[in-house]
Amino acid sequence: MKVYDFVVKDTQGQEVSLSDYKGKVLLIVNTATRCGLTPQYEELQQLYAQYAEQGLEILDFPCNQFREQAPESSSEIAQVCQMKFGTKFKIFDKIDVNGENAAPLYVYLKSEKPEDKANHVFKDLLLKLASIGEKREGSDIKWNFTKFLVNRNGEVVVRFAPSVKPSEIESDIRALL
């Protein structure tokens, strides 16, 4: 199985086959518009602007599971991101990333890379403190802006913790391009 085997919905509820992205390097991110990490959208857009022509695609999956920090509808989220951060990459329908209603794509991503690659012990500790009281198990996504990097063959290469800024993974992206 590969990322390309999944079908997801866009912000209008239309099905999109991830096979449309064959041959591209993918950065798949669960996001929220009202999170302390939301400014990462700026760096995501910078990466997209710089590397889209070389084959980078950023796939944004809004998620309201972490302290309800993405309460808007999917289309409202897309509008906010375009207006506030100038995003041009694809924003999909809002999903769950954990639990019994987790999107199949995220069940797969977590099975491929169950652990975050974290670079910031202190920031990661703060995220753990922020999520106290929220039930998390094993490979569960810990917070908004967890990032999965997928190579041109549809294989999940690495999972980055929410605290890892998009600019900090630029060299990882370049290596796959």
Side-chain angles (χ1 to χ4, degrees), residues 101-113:
N101 296 320
L105 171 62
Y106 267 80
V107 172
Y108 169 75
L109 292 170
K110 293 184 300 183
S111 72
E112 291 295 297
K113 293 295 175 195

Side-chain angles (χ1 to χ4, degrees), residues 3-128:
V3 167
Y4 305 137
D5 297 327
F6 293 90
V7 174
V8 295
K9 292 190 177 187
D10 66 15
T11 56
Q12 306 306 312
Q14 300 298 312
E15 290 189 345
V16 176
S17 173
L18 293 187
S19 67
D20 294 350
Y21 295 97
K22 277 187 178 174
K24 302 280 188 174
V25 171
L26 306 178
L27 186 61
I28 302 175
V29 187
N30 65 295
T31 61
T33 52
R34 298 183 187 191
C35 173
L37 299 174
T38 300
Q40 286 191 20
Y41 267 117
E42 291 175 24
E43 289 187 15
L44 288 169
Q45 178 54 37
Q46 289 169 358
L47 285 174
Y48 185 70
Q50 186 166 355
Y51 296 107
E53 287 184 15
Q54 296 174 47
L56 174 67
E57 290 290 340
I58 295 174
L59 309 183
D60 175 355
F61 290 91
C63 178
N64 198 37
Q65 282 189 291
F66 304 100
R67 304 224 186 244
E68 299 179 353
Q69 294 180 340
E72 306 90 348
S73 72
S74 298
S75 58
E76 289 170 329
I77 289 170
Q79 286 179 329
V80 166
C81 292
Q82 290 163 359
M83 291 174 59
K84 189 170 183 180
F85 301 105
T87 57
K88 305 271 189 243
F89 50 82
K90 185 77 170 173
I91 298 176
F92 291 90
D93 198 20
K94 192 168 18 175
I95 61 166
D96 282 354
V97 296
N98 293 330
E100 63 184 42
N101 296 320
L105 171 62
Y106 267 80
V107 172
Y108 169 75
L109 292 170
K110 293 184 300 183
S111 72
E112 291 295 297
K113 293 295 175 195
E115 294 292 323
D116 293 340
K117 179 179 178 185
N119 294 344
H120 308 96
V121 174
F122 180 70
K123 287 181 184 176
D124 292 327
L125 178 61
L126 291 177
L127 285 175
K128 284 181 184 175

Side-chain angles (χ1 to χ4, degrees), residues 65-67 97-100 110 128 130-143:
Q65 282 189 291
F66 304 100
R67 304 224 186 244
V97 296
N98 293 330
E100 63 184 42
K110 293 184 300 183
K128 284 181 184 175
S131 64
I132 286 177
E134 298 199 20
K135 186 179 176 191
R136 301 281 175 264
E137 298 179 15
S139 66
D140 277 357
I141 302 297
K142 309 298 184 276
W143 202 255

